[in-house]
Amino acid sequence: RGTSTFDGTAIASATVQHLVERNQCLTLFATHYHSLLEDWKNEPSIRLGHMECVVEDNDNDSEKKSIAFLYTLGDGPCPKSFGVNVARLAGLPDDVLERAKRVSVAFEAEMNGETNHHKIIPSEAEDIASKIEKLFSTGAEVILHDELKQIWERLQ
């Protein structure tokens, strides 16, 4: 593939559109791009499906779940991502899996609008860092409370 997420999504979307509108052929199209599922879920000529699996806890440790693929096609989109479980099957080290799980949960929350984290672009970061440095380098015992409060509120 060799594409970014955006390029990959765009190529996959254009491909689905071509197959649906132009070719109108029977096709099995597999993707990890969940936005495509949302884009095409109401198209009458498309039926969404996923490969079913069973996930079991190992030793009641929620971070160490085993996965078994059932080789059956279920209706609708896959209800959850199991990438970390598959990575465990591939033998990745536990510390990598634990970090991947944390990042995955945070990313999913961000994509679902469940977080209020403010992303700062590099040019904003430089401006903010410069202002904070200026406040601390004034040599005054007391930092200008109002200016620091303004910076903090801007970051929220």
Side-chain angles (χ1 to χ4, degrees):
R1 225 180 42 137
T3 60
S4 73
T5 300
F6 301 114
D7 288 350
T9 301
I11 292 166
S13 180
T15 301
V16 170
Q17 184 173 4
H18 180 84
L19 292 169
V20 168
E21 295 175 0
R22 193 149 186 210
N23 285 31
Q24 299 179 350
C25 61
L26 181 61
T27 304
L28 175 62
F29 188 90
T31 183
H32 287 95
Y33 297 120
H34 292 265
S35 62
L36 271 123
L37 305 176
E38 193 62 32
D39 293 345
W40 292 95
K41 70 180 180 183
N42 295 320
E43 170 62 40
S45 64
I46 290 183
R47 191 176 114 214
L48 298 179
H50 65 277
M51 296 308 295
E52 294 182 325
C53 62
V54 173
V55 179
E56 296 176 351
D57 287 340
N58 288 339
D59 302 324
N60 294 325
D61 184 351
S62 63
E63 292 296 315
K64 293 192 176 188
K65 295 181 178 181
S66 64
I67 188 166
F69 294 98
L70 303 178
Y71 300 99
T72 56
L73 183 62
D75 288 330
C78 188
K80 190 173 185 262
S81 176
F82 298 103
V84 175
N85 303 84
V86 173
R88 180 171 283 105
L89 285 177
L92 270 65
D94 283 343
D95 60 325
V96 172
L97 297 170
E98 289 164 12
R99 167 124 173 87
K101 180 65 176 173
R102 285 193 308 273
V103 171
S104 175
V105 167
F107 183 63
E108 185 174 358
E110 183 178 328
M111 294 302 293
N112 291 332
E114 298 168 4
T115 180
N116 60 0
H117 291 128
H118 176 69
K119 297 282 183 182
I120 300 173
I121 59 173
S123 61
E124 280 184 299
E126 291 173 17
D127 180 49
I128 292 167
S130 175
K131 286 180 181 179
I132 292 171
E133 184 178 351
K134 186 177 178 182
L135 286 173
F136 281 101
S137 67
T138 61
E141 293 285 327
V142 179
I143 296 173
L144 300 174
H145 180 265
D146 290 339
E147 288 185 44
L148 193 53
K149 185 178 177 186
Q150 286 176 344
I151 291 170
W152 176 252
E153 287 172 353
R154 184 173 166 201
L155 293 173
Q156 299 305 305

